[in-house]
Structure formats: C-alpha cells, structure tokens
Amino acid sequence: MRLLLTTSQGIEDLARAEVENLLSELGVPFRVEEKPLGVEGRLLAEVGEAYYTDGKGRKRELSVSTYLNERSRLLHRVIVEIASERFEGIGEEEPENALKRIEDFVKELPVERYVKVSESFAVRSFRKGEHKITSLDVSRTVGKAIFERLERFGRPKVNLDHPAVIFRAELIGEIFFLGIDTTGDSSLHKRPWRVYDHPAHLKASIANALIELANPDGGPFIDPFCGSGTIPIELALRGYTGEVTCLEKFRKHLYGAKMNALSAGVIDRINFILGDATKLSEHVESVDFAVSNLPYGIKIGRKSAIPKLYMDFFGELAEVLEKRGVFITTEKRAIEKAIGENGFKVIHHRLIGHGGLMVHTYIIE
Ligand SMILES: C[S@@+](CC[C@H](N)C(=O)[O-])C[C@H]1O[C@@H](n2cnc3c(N)ncnc32)[C@H](O)[C@@H]1O
C-alpha cells in the first residue's frame, strides 16, 4: 500500500523520522520518501501488510492508516494513494483542456475498489501553483469521473456534507494525485483538546516539530510566550517527565491555556505563570530548554515594539537558559540582532510554512 502523508512545509524530515519510528514498531517492511515528485509538505510511504493478534489469539490485519492517524503528532493527513501522475504543461492549459486531461485520467482508475456502491462519497480538492483552473473545478471534474465510473456498478451516492468515503484530489504544480482521505474533514493538527482558540495559535504539528528540534532531555522547559499553551500541552502529552512552564503576559490567554490543558488532561503537569517574558529572570531562576512561537508584529499590531521586545527578552533569556532554545518568528532581522547581541549562537535555521507564510525557525545555544 502507498500512503500520501501531509504535513507542514519545512518539517518533512522530522515527520519522516516520526513515521519511520512508528512503522518500525509494527515490524512491517516500509520505505518513506520525503517530498515525492518534489512536492513540499508531503511524504510517500510504501508499507507492507501489518498484523496483530487479537484477544482470542487470532491473527488480524492492522490498518496502518488508522495506526498513523492515531499515533502521529506531526502529520496532518493520511491518504491511501489510488494514483499519481505528472501532467506536463497543465499550468498553461485552458481550463477545458486541463480538466479534460484530469477527467480522462480519473475515468480509468479502479475507484470501485475503494467505495461500495451503497456508500456515499465526496471529493475534496487541494490545488497549489499556477493554473487556470480552481480547486472547485478539480473537485467537480473528479467527482463526475468517479460518479460515471461507479454507475457501471449501481447507483452511486454523493453526499458533500457527511460522506462515508472522502476522495482527495491534489493538483500541486504539474503533479496530480488521487487518494482516499482516511483522516476525514478535520486535519490532525486541529487537536480535540483545543477549547480555547488563541487568535495566533501555533499548529500542533509545528509545536511538535519545535520540540523535536529542541530535543529536551527531561530538564526544566519553558514556553515564555505560551499563548493558549500549545507547546507545553503537546510536550506534556508526549509524557515529558521534567518541569514544564507556560508563561504568558495576558490573563485571558493564560486562562485559555489552562482550559486547554484541562481538556487535554495535563493541567497537573504544567506550571502556569502570569508574567512578562522581558522580566523572565523574575519568574524562573534557570531553565534547560526554552521553546516559543514569538509574538509577530503583524499579529500583535504594533510592529515597532518588536525589536525592543526581542532584545529585552533575549537579554533575560541569557540569564536563565542553560542548554537550548528554539524560536519561530517572521521577524528575521529583529530576532537575529537580539540573538547575536545577547551572546547566543545559531546552531540551526530553517523555514517552516505556517499560516500561508514561510516562518524563520532558529535553534540557539
Ligand atoms: C504568537 S503568540 C503564541 C501562541 C501560542 N504558541 C499558542 O499556540 O497559542 C505570542 C503570545 O505572546 C504573548 N506575549 C506578548 N508579549 C509578551 C510578553 N512580554 N511576555 C509574555 N507574553 C507575551 C501574547 O499575548 C501571545 O499570546
């Protein structure tokens, strides 16, 4: 079986390592490729059949897609591949021709293997790159081709709101992909524990990527701008045994973080402090790891305040940080100046896709 796995751009290597670890635990043969056909934010996993022994000692087939949906912390979707194809020049083609190519391709695919005629289906599409067609056009065309093929076997049922089977069609540049979305309509990064919705919250998948980059070893850990608590909550859910602190200046967000932690079942694992990160040393004596999604100018309104905020914060961080820090922000110039002038060294930099932007991420020591 081939699975198309989606995640954020820029963390494919970390997601791959996670998937490889999870698949190793199953003891099945597998191969995981990052950015298949050059597509960012995607992995392709070829996986052999997996089995488990049930309570009565019988050998049963294990659904690898369900297993990944349940266990992964970095993936967004798990999609069973039906087919992929490169459509050269599709970006320049007139809508009619581009859609005809997609329709002709889908018509020949054995979609009847994936949906029973008695089951309802819908097509959800994702499109990225330069095309003269929209994702809605892709959904309609693919839906029509699937419907007509299924008509050979009975009377197909479309249900756009609550389908039993979701086909996912992706057109990314010249690459077209069709599969069955086993994740459903809500991406895995939307965690069920989130009851308080911070206006600038971090995707849980990216929070886990930052935690992987920090690689905390059990020592004291802080998110000094913790907002709704995404990073501390995800760390606690990973079973971190060290001290975890969530510091936030605004009462409303800190209260929201507590509600989220309560809903995640980890409220007792996190210290919540209402306080200012530019006075960090008043709140904590020393920490081994600091990981945070820093306030961005555009999100907090007063962009001019950012350089001073970062300078003051990194000055305080220099007083308390023992091991490593990982920070993500759009404010490249301000963070690099604050890191450099406070005696830290950047040991790794990468760009991560978040909220439609490529955001700068630094590991510092
Ligand atoms: C980008 S948000 C963090 C979002 C968080 N990662 C989440 O997922 O909810 C930055 C947070 O920093 C807080 N903040 C701004 N200035 C602060 C300061 N001086 N000290 C502590 N927190 C501050 C803001 O209120 C905001 O909640």
Side-chain angles (χ1 to χ4, degrees):
M1 174 171 51
R2 280 158 56 103
L3 298 173
L4 185 78
L5 309 171
T6 75
T7 186
S8 289
Q9 269 180 51
I11 63 170
E12 298 89 348
D13 56 333
L14 303 170
R16 175 187 183 173
E18 180 197 48
V19 169
E20 287 179 343
N21 265 336
L22 288 170
L23 294 177
S24 306
E25 280 175 27
L26 290 182
V28 286
F30 66 84
R31 196 178 73 86
V32 184
E33 189 189 335
E34 272 168 48
K35 304 185 197 172
L37 301 163
V39 179
E40 295 193 35
R42 300 287 179 274
L43 307 176
L44 188 70
E46 287 186 47
V47 194
E49 282 183 359
Y51 299 92
Y52 70 99
T53 308
D54 72 8
K56 293 183 178 154
R58 284 178 301 213
K59 189 174 164 184
R60 300 263 187 193
E61 191 171 345
L62 182 128
S63 161
V64 177
S65 50
T66 305
Y67 172 79
L68 290 177
N69 275 307
E70 283 173 356
R71 303 288 182 92
S72 169
R73 298 181 190 280
L74 284 104
L75 295 179
H76 294 176
R77 296 187 173 279
V78 179
I79 308 164
V80 176
E81 186 193 60
I82 299 174
S84 344
E85 181 79 346
R86 181 185 293 277
F87 285 128
E88 260 170 58
I90 195 160
E92 291 89 54
E93 258 174 328
E94 289 310 313
E96 219 171 277
N97 297 342
L99 294 173
K100 174 95 174 50
R101 276 173 90 179
I102 292 175
E103 186 177 346
D104 289 348
F105 178 71
V106 175
K107 255 183 1 205
E108 299 306 319
L109 300 174
V111 291
E112 61 280 5
R113 287 191 202 148
Y114 303 89
V115 52
K116 295 192 191 93
V117 183
S118 57
E119 286 174 323
S120 62
F121 78 91
V123 179
R124 312 274 192 235
S125 295
F126 175 80
R127 191 196 61 79
K128 198 173 159 199
E130 295 290 316
H131 307 103
K132 294 180 180 171
I133 54 179
T134 65
S135 63
L136 207 65
D137 295 331
V138 176
S139 295
R140 275 200 212 105
T141 301
V142 172
K144 178 171 173 271
I146 293 175
F147 191 93
E148 286 175 6
R149 173 139 188 142
L150 290 177
E151 272 186 319
R152 299 186 200 168
F153 307 91
R155 285 183 63 181
K157 278 193 263 175
V158 174
N159 184 336
L160 296 182
D161 298 322
H162 303 288
V165 176
I166 301 175
F167 285 91
R168 175 139 171 133
E170 297 202 336
L171 182 63
I172 304 178
E174 295 192 323
I175 307 302
F176 177 77
F177 172 91
L178 185 70
I180 300 292
D181 191 341
T182 67
T183 299
D185 277 327
S186 183
S187 169
L188 296 172
H189 72 72
K190 293 185 185 149
R191 298 293 203 250
W193 55 251
R194 192 178 294 286
V195 289
Y196 174 68
D197 198 7
H198 187 289
H201 75 245
L202 194 63
K203 282 191 179 124
S205 50
I206 299 179
N208 277 282
L210 303 185
I211 292 169
E212 295 284 339
L213 291 173
N215 194 18
D217 59 9
F221 179 106
I222 191 169
D223 177 349
F225 299 88
C226 74
S228 59
T230 312
I231 297 169
I233 291 169
E234 286 293 317
L235 180 65
L237 286 171
R238 293 164 71 113
Y240 196 70
T241 52
E243 199 183 323
V244 182
T245 301
C246 182
L247 178 80
E248 165 63 46
K249 188 171 165 183
F250 296 95
R251 195 176 295 276
K252 176 179 161 188
H253 296 323
L254 194 74
Y255 188 70
K258 285 186 192 170
M259 292 296 102
N260 282 337
L262 181 67
S263 142
V266 293
I267 193 155
D268 299 334
R269 289 286 309 113
I270 301 171
N271 306 321
F272 293 91
I273 304 177
L274 184 67
D276 187 340
T278 63
K279 301 196 175 95
L280 190 59
S281 62
E282 290 178 11
H283 303 294
V284 289
E285 218 169 90
S286 104
V287 289
D288 284 352
F289 303 94
V291 177
S292 204
N293 165 209
L294 300 176
Y296 309 155
I298 17 174
K299 298 231 163 130
I300 65 166
R302 286 195 1 263
K303 209 170 159 108
S304 57
I306 291 291
K308 178 163 166 31
L309 173 72
Y310 285 16
M311 195 56 77
D312 293 349
F313 164 64
F314 281 96
E316 283 284 298
L317 187 66
E319 306 281 315
V320 302
L321 186 67
E322 304 286 342
K323 292 188 175 161
R324 241 176 337 273
V326 175
F327 298 96
I328 182 165
T329 177
T330 51
E331 308 297 319
K332 178 176 173 15
R333 199 172 326 168
I335 191 177
E336 289 184 0
K337 188 158 188 278
I339 287 172
E341 290 189 13
N342 288 293
F344 291 109
K345 234 176 49 210
V346 174
I347 59 165
H348 176 82
H349 167 265
R350 67 169 66 196
L351 287 164
I352 297 180
H354 185 48
L357 300 168
M358 289 308 281
V359 189
H360 295 271
T361 306
Y362 300 83
I363 307 182
I364 62 165
E365 282 181 357

